[in-house]
Amino acid sequence: MNEESIKLSICIPTYNRAQILKETLLNVLDCVDEGIEVVVSDNNSDDNTYSIIKNLKAPRIKYFKNQENIGAVRNIVRVLERAKGKYSLLISDEDLICNSTIPTIKKIINDSQNISAILGGVLDQENRPYIHYARNKYIEGKEAMENIAFTNFYISGAIFNNDLIDFQDLNQQLSKPNNGFLHLYPHRYILTKLTLLGDIVTIDNFICKQGEKGKNYIEKQNGKIFNHPLARVEQFKTDLTLSTMLNVDLEIRINMLLKLYRMVRSNLIELKRNIKNKELMDYFNLQVDETSFLISIEKCTEIAIKELDKYKIEENRYLKIKERLLELKDSAVLYFAN
């Protein structure tokens, strides 16, 4: 394969899931042509992953095996580093690509300039929309960050401009302790930075379909569940850390603070709405009570106001934003109380 002709790399991190990976690869190979490569980064599996890939006899699959298990997040970064295409489609080893969307993606890649990422929808196992975007284009900087940053939690379905990813920065951040935003969701860290480097295109097509029901790739590898209300607070803290560390102007950071707060608040309200839905609670392995929601919203408000205190803004504006945060908290507490 001529590396210069590769426009899209389909990147699949994997570990000890040979049979699941086989189904994913068989699906992926249906859409592969001369401009597409498939990159598998095996995190030192001790099952028959290599044999499965070898028996497929597919030259467009590039298989790499780490000499040791480097952890789920580092393996995600590693698979992107190994890609030769200008754009990389990251997908979990359990998910399936919606092959009919590939021509749309290739057309955007061929026809567009200054695109840093392409985002499409994700279907759940029952073919229901799990993530769905409207067809749009967001201009790099303030517009892209405020509309896209922190919207994409799911590992599959994001297409990155590999030329714009700062892998040195990624690996430096991974070496630091307590960088939760990166240690849990590296793809969101990448996407947020890319909003500052190029336009973001969203399409209403579905890029992939969820495979195995339940936890996502990161949760499976790390053995954690992030749907509990108190865990949402920790996620909120790490997202705020990322929004303030990026080199963006004060206006964007304040708007991102409010956006993140409203997002976490709406997530908590949605969970409260479904707390008596045993099927849904079991689906997300949730065991929560009413008190957890109240504690979460109080903590989130406290964190948001502390974050606001760091910004040097004129007093009247500061008081208005703080008042708005407290109003949102009060309305949420009132909702939880009913």
Side-chain angles (χ1 to χ4, degrees):
M1 184 186 297
N2 182 359
E3 291 184 355
E4 293 183 359
S5 68
I6 302 172
K7 298 292 182 69
L8 179 66
S9 300
I10 299 175
C11 298
I12 308 173
T14 191
Y15 175 66
N16 274 353
R17 301 213 293 175
Q19 291 303 317
I20 292 174
L21 175 66
K22 180 181 179 180
E23 295 304 313
T24 298
L25 288 173
L26 288 171
N27 161 256
V28 166
L29 288 172
D30 284 342
C31 71
V32 168
D33 59 25
E34 66 277 1
I36 300 175
E37 68 170 357
V38 181
V39 184
V40 177
S41 185
D42 179 358
N43 204 10
N44 198 30
S45 299
D46 55 17
D47 63 2
N48 62 329
T49 294
Y50 174 69
S51 298
I52 289 288
I53 292 176
K54 184 179 179 181
N55 290 337
L56 287 174
K57 298 178 180 179
R60 296 196 182 277
I61 297 177
K62 295 182 179 179
Y63 171 78
F64 301 88
K65 184 173 183 177
N66 300 329
Q67 293 184 348
E68 60 181 4
N69 188 317
I70 59 176
V73 172
R74 286 185 182 275
N75 197 36
I76 290 171
V77 175
R78 185 66 56 83
V79 75
L80 294 171
E81 285 182 304
R82 287 165 164 162
K84 298 300 182 184
K86 181 175 180 180
Y87 286 85
S88 291
L89 166 55
L90 184 62
I91 185 168
S92 169
D93 60 6
E94 67 196 30
D95 290 342
L96 303 175
I97 287 179
C98 298
N99 294 326
S100 60
T101 302
I102 295 297
T104 301
I105 294 169
K106 290 178 66 177
K107 188 173 190 315
I108 293 171
I109 290 173
N110 289 328
D111 296 349
S112 303
Q113 301 294 321
N114 196 42
I115 299 298
S116 61
I118 304 166
L119 302 178
V122 178
L123 295 167
D124 68 12
Q125 280 195 317
E126 284 72 40
N127 288 316
R128 298 171 303 194
Y130 178 72
I131 298 171
H132 194 202
Y133 294 97
R135 190 169 292 265
N136 215 327
K137 180 178 179 180
Y138 300 98
I139 306 303
E140 70 172 90
K142 185 174 185 290
E143 180 179 317
M145 175 165 275
E146 292 188 357
N147 285 282
I148 295 299
F150 307 109
T151 60
N152 188 22
F153 290 82
Y154 198 67
I155 183 175
S156 299
I159 301 165
F160 304 125
N161 185 332
N162 247 31
D163 292 345
L164 297 179
I165 298 176
D166 187 341
F167 288 106
Q168 182 178 355
D169 167 65
L170 269 174
N171 288 305
Q172 285 177 346
Q173 294 297 338
L174 278 172
S175 68
K176 298 177 183 178
N178 303 319
N179 269 2
F181 53 84
L182 181 52
H183 289 164
L184 298 182
Y185 299 109
H187 50 298
R188 294 178 65 225
Y189 177 79
I190 293 169
L191 179 61
T192 301
K193 293 202 72 175
L194 289 182
T195 62
L196 301 172
L197 301 175
D199 302 335
I200 305 290
V201 171
T202 59
I203 56 177
D204 50 12
N205 310 67
F206 292 96
I207 291 180
C208 63
K209 176 182 176 179
Q210 288 181 333
E212 189 175 307
K213 185 176 180 180
K215 309 174 198 174
N216 66 28
Y217 179 82
I218 299 293
E219 291 165 354
K220 283 179 180 296
Q221 300 293 307
N222 291 351
K224 296 179 180 178
I225 297 291
F226 301 112
N227 299 96
H228 190 283
L230 294 176
R232 290 286 188 201
V233 178
E234 294 304 309
Q235 185 176 300
F236 176 56
K237 287 165 63 176
T238 58
D239 286 345
L240 281 176
T241 301
L242 175 56
S243 69
T244 54
M245 74 173 284
L246 292 175
N247 187 24
V248 296
D249 63 42
L250 179 63
E251 187 71 29
I252 294 179
R253 281 184 283 157
I254 290 174
N255 289 344
M256 292 306 295
L257 182 155
L258 292 170
K259 175 183 177 180
L260 285 167
Y261 182 87
R262 286 192 291 265
M263 182 177 72
V264 173
R265 176 180 172 273
S266 65
N267 284 339
L268 293 174
I269 289 176
E270 184 64 27
L271 285 172
K272 165 69 163 67
R273 235 180 241 131
N274 290 289
I275 196 170
K276 294 181 180 178
N277 183 338
K278 187 177 184 306
E279 182 180 0
L280 189 70
M281 293 291 115
D282 289 343
Y283 180 92
F284 288 114
N285 194 23
L286 275 166
Q287 294 179 342
V288 298
D289 54 36
E290 302 279 342
T291 306
S292 298
F293 293 108
L294 294 172
I295 293 173
S296 294
I297 202 68
E298 292 281 359
K299 283 190 175 181
C300 281
T301 307
E302 180 183 340
I303 293 165
I305 290 174
K306 280 185 178 179
E307 188 71 19
L308 184 63
D309 289 340
K310 299 176 185 177
Y311 301 151
K312 296 178 180 178
I313 54 179
E314 55 96 7
E315 186 175 4
N316 286 342
R317 187 160 179 240
Y318 168 85
L319 291 174
K320 285 181 180 178
I321 297 171
K322 182 177 179 180
E323 182 181 0
R324 179 59 181 150
L325 287 168
L326 292 172
E327 285 176 354
L328 287 167
K329 183 207 76 168
D330 289 343
S331 66
V333 169
L334 182 63
Y335 174 83
F336 293 150
N338 294 329

